[in-house]
Each structure stands twice: as structure tokens, then as C-alpha cells.
Amino acid sequence: MVDSSKKVIVGIFVLVSLILFSLGVILVGSGRGLFTRSHTLFVKYNHIKGLQNGASVHLAGIDAGYVKDISFNPAGKQFEVLVTLEVLARYFPLIRQDSEASITTRGLLGDKYIQISLGSSDSPPLKSGDFVQAKVETSVMDQLQGGGIVERTDAMISSLAELLEEVKQGNRIGNTLKYLE
């Protein structure tokens, strides 16, 4: 009898130890400690461009937190997306009322993260639960389309295709080009 009760106690001890070890690995692996102090900030966007929960929040290039939640803003007068940020307490005093949060792309794969600017030293710091100003940045493709580069390139390729077709068929341009040789 004593032998079987010892086995039960050892089994419970091993099970609890495995659960605690697994929890520790998860917390350390995610970079979010159990006892790490953080503050919550909010940002409102019209479009989040593929930003996801868990994305990094950078403050002047330093990893300072993560995106905790993404949802539609129920209090907004128009449809907008409410992004909840968790910022580590040691970086929080550097975020000011004139700081701006922009959605930025990392690398060629297009991973999205939030980049917060420091703001000016004479601006008062934000408090936990405040809103950071959203800064909307245009992507490279938006800039190309806005400048008409894509349309002009498309027109140039079409003209070149027509010219090559005429050369193939031996029309006037083709004859002119032959005499230039």
C-alpha cells in the first residue's frame, strides 16, 4: 500500500513539473515574460495591410512590444480597425503625444510590424490606455501607381510590341529599318 501511494505522489510531482517546464518554455520562447511589466496603447487605422496579432512593435528600431489584439473599433463613427499594442514598461516613457505609429514591412517576405517614432522631448508622455497617432505610409507599389510609372511602362511595352510586329510583317517601318543597316 505504501508503495502505491509513493508512486502516485511521484507521478503527480512529475506531471506538475512537466506542466511548469512547458509553461516556462512557452513564455521564454515568445519573448513575453510572465512578470514583465507592460503598458497598453491603441492605434486606429483605416486599413492594416496584413498586420497580425503578435507582430513586433518597434520604438526607434528597438523591439519594444507586440500587437496584442486587432479588432474593429466599436466606438468609431466610421469603420476603422483598432490595434491594441503592449509596450514594455522600460520603453513606455519614451512614447510621446506627438509620436506616430506606422505599419512597416520587414524584408522581402513582407512581414508587417508597427514602428513608433520617439516624438519630441518637449511633448508630454502618453499614459497607459492612450491612443498613438497613426501614420499611413504608402507602399512602393502605391508610389509607382500614383506617379503613373506603371501606366507609362505599360504603354511603352505596347508600343514596342506594335513596332516589332510591323518589323516582322515588313511594313514601312520595317523597310526603313532595313535600309538603315
Side-chain angles (χ1 to χ4, degrees), residues 2-18:
V2 176
D3 216 18
S4 107
S5 66
K6 283 184 181 179
K7 288 180 181 179
V8 170
I9 291 173
V10 170
I12 291 172
F13 178 76
V14 169
L15 181 65
V16 169
S17 297
L18 285 174

Side-chain angles (χ1 to χ4, degrees), residues 14 18 24 33 40 46 50 54 57-58 82 97 108 110 117 121 131-132 135 137 141 146 150 155-156 169 176:
V14 169
L18 285 174
T40 302
N46 291 328
V57 173
H58 290 217
L82 180 66
Q97 288 183 356
L108 296 173
S117 65
S121 59
F131 283 84
V132 182
K135 180 179 180 185
E137 293 186 354
M141 196 60 182
V150 172
M156 183 177 70
Q169 294 176 358
T176 305

